[in-house]
Amino acid sequence: MGRSQRERGTEPNLQPRLQLPVVDDLRADCGSCFGLCCVALTFAKSSDFPVNKAAGTPCSNLQQDFRCGIHQDLRQRGYSGCTVYDCFGAGQKVSQGTFDGVDWRQGDKGAAREMFDVFPVMRQLHELLWYLTEARDLPQARPIRPDIERALAETERLTQGTPAEVAATDVATHREGVGALLLRVSELARADVRRKKKDRRGADLFGAKLKGADLRGVSLRGAYLIAADLRGADLRQADLIGADFRDADLRGADLTGSIFLTQSQVNAAKGDAETKLPPALNRPSHWK
């Protein structure tokens, strides 16, 4: 397999050479990836996938050029799980950076297995990079911006290691530290609107009737909003990190200025042309 940047002697982790990511670096670029989400991950037969697939086994729809043969019809074919997934740019980072453009079909099985082990770790690190990049740019977080930038640099440094180093990363411990910092960011960002608002962190709101609800500045961290009716709801400045929006109805909802919302959360929900999203996120093609 290809050598990492560190093995090639470029020392990407040394300051000030480390280049911090921007939002565009954290968007999936499938054309620069070796179809890693279609190979490295497990599929379980369910409402999200029509078949079982073991980790390390290519999806039957993966073509020789690493593109999906049914990309335009994934939902109609029962692969809605694929339309929700977002690697946060980890796929191209592993493919073109960590493994220097040498794909998993080359070399021995051990080398391919190493790539498949690295990918899910890199994906978790890139998710943290997404949150930290957003946090860095929030005006309300200016008082702790140096702390955010240090966490951002350390997370990026972890992504620049050799395959063995990335795979061995203690993501849980690193996520714990980053999570505490993001909580501080959330409190600062919501300070002017969260007074007298109930904290709904981790709340079970499965199927909740929240049409037109004023949820500005509310913490919905890790809340279960599966199939919730959020039509016309005001979610501005709400903390949405880890909230489960599967089949939630966001038609006409206002999510501008919401905190830590991701593309995968949006993809999992239902929306329409009236749904207002943060500028960093795209309107899903399946929203009618």
Side-chain angles (χ1 to χ4, degrees):
M1 301 298 291
R3 295 176 302 158
S4 70
Q5 291 174 316
R6 182 175 296 179
E7 291 173 315
R8 295 198 303 277
T10 57
E11 298 177 325
N13 64 312
L14 297 182
Q15 297 289 355
R17 296 183 185 181
L18 186 67
Q19 184 174 354
L20 298 182
V22 295
V23 169
D24 284 346
D25 297 324
L26 304 173
R27 300 184 195 277
D29 177 7
C30 298
S32 299
C33 178
F34 300 142
L36 294 180
C37 63
C38 307
V39 185
L41 306 180
T42 299
F43 295 173
K45 188 173 182 179
S46 63
S47 59
D48 294 324
F49 299 101
V51 296
N52 292 317
K53 187 194 79 65
T57 301
C59 174
S60 61
N61 299 305
L62 185 66
Q63 302 180 114
Q64 289 298 312
D65 61 357
F66 302 114
R67 295 182 182 275
C68 176
I70 61 168
H71 180 71
Q72 299 301 321
D73 303 309
L74 283 167
R75 283 186 168 261
Q76 294 88 326
R77 298 285 193 94
Y79 288 87
S80 61
C82 296
T83 66
V84 171
Y85 184 78
D86 182 14
C87 75
F88 297 96
Q92 65 259 28
K93 181 75 152 286
V94 172
S95 300
Q96 305 302 330
T98 314
F99 288 88
D100 206 17
V102 181
D103 72 67
W104 50 270
R105 288 173 175 167
Q106 305 176 50
D108 57 32
K109 291 183 179 180
R113 220 168 18 246
E114 185 177 42
M115 182 179 285
F116 302 153
D117 289 342
V118 166
F119 174 64
V121 176
M122 187 71 78
R123 193 267 181 195
Q124 292 185 72
L125 292 173
H126 267 233
E127 181 182 4
L128 294 178
L129 288 174
W130 175 272
Y131 296 138
L132 288 166
T133 299
E134 178 182 343
R136 177 189 58 187
D137 297 335
L138 286 172
Q140 303 96 320
R142 189 174 294 113
I144 59 172
R145 187 163 294 164
D147 293 335
I148 297 170
E149 290 180 342
R150 278 192 291 272
L152 188 56
E154 173 59 14
T155 306
E156 176 62 19
R157 186 192 66 78
L158 291 172
T159 73
Q160 298 281 355
T162 65
E165 289 169 340
V166 175
T169 301
D170 185 350
V171 180
T173 298
H174 184 66
R175 182 183 287 273
E176 185 176 346
V178 171
L181 179 59
L182 294 178
L183 182 58
R184 291 168 60 196
V185 171
S186 172
E187 291 170 348
L188 288 170
R190 298 180 297 113
D192 60 334
V193 291
R194 66 187 175 93
R195 296 184 181 89
K196 299 182 180 180
K197 294 288 181 70
K198 186 176 181 180
D199 189 334
R200 306 309 298 269
R201 183 175 182 177
D204 183 356
L205 298 170
F206 188 106
K209 307 301 182 183
L210 296 168
K211 182 179 179 181
D214 180 3
L215 298 170
R216 288 175 300 164
V218 172
S219 175
L220 289 163
R221 291 179 148 240
Y224 297 95
L225 288 156
I226 303 167
D229 184 357
L230 288 159
R231 286 175 295 168
D234 190 345
L235 290 153
R236 290 175 294 170
Q237 288 180 265
D239 184 347
L240 303 177
I241 194 167
D244 192 337
F245 279 103
R246 282 178 292 170
D247 292 323
D249 194 340
L250 293 174
R251 287 177 292 171
D254 189 349
L255 295 99
T256 54
S258 59
I259 307 165
F260 306 136
L261 182 65
T262 67
Q263 189 66 54
S264 59
Q265 288 171 295
V266 172
N267 291 349
K270 301 173 183 177
D272 61 11
E274 302 303 316
T275 306
K276 297 178 182 178
L277 297 173
L281 302 179
N282 299 318
R283 194 173 304 277
S285 59
H286 61 272
W287 283 13
K288 303 297 183 183

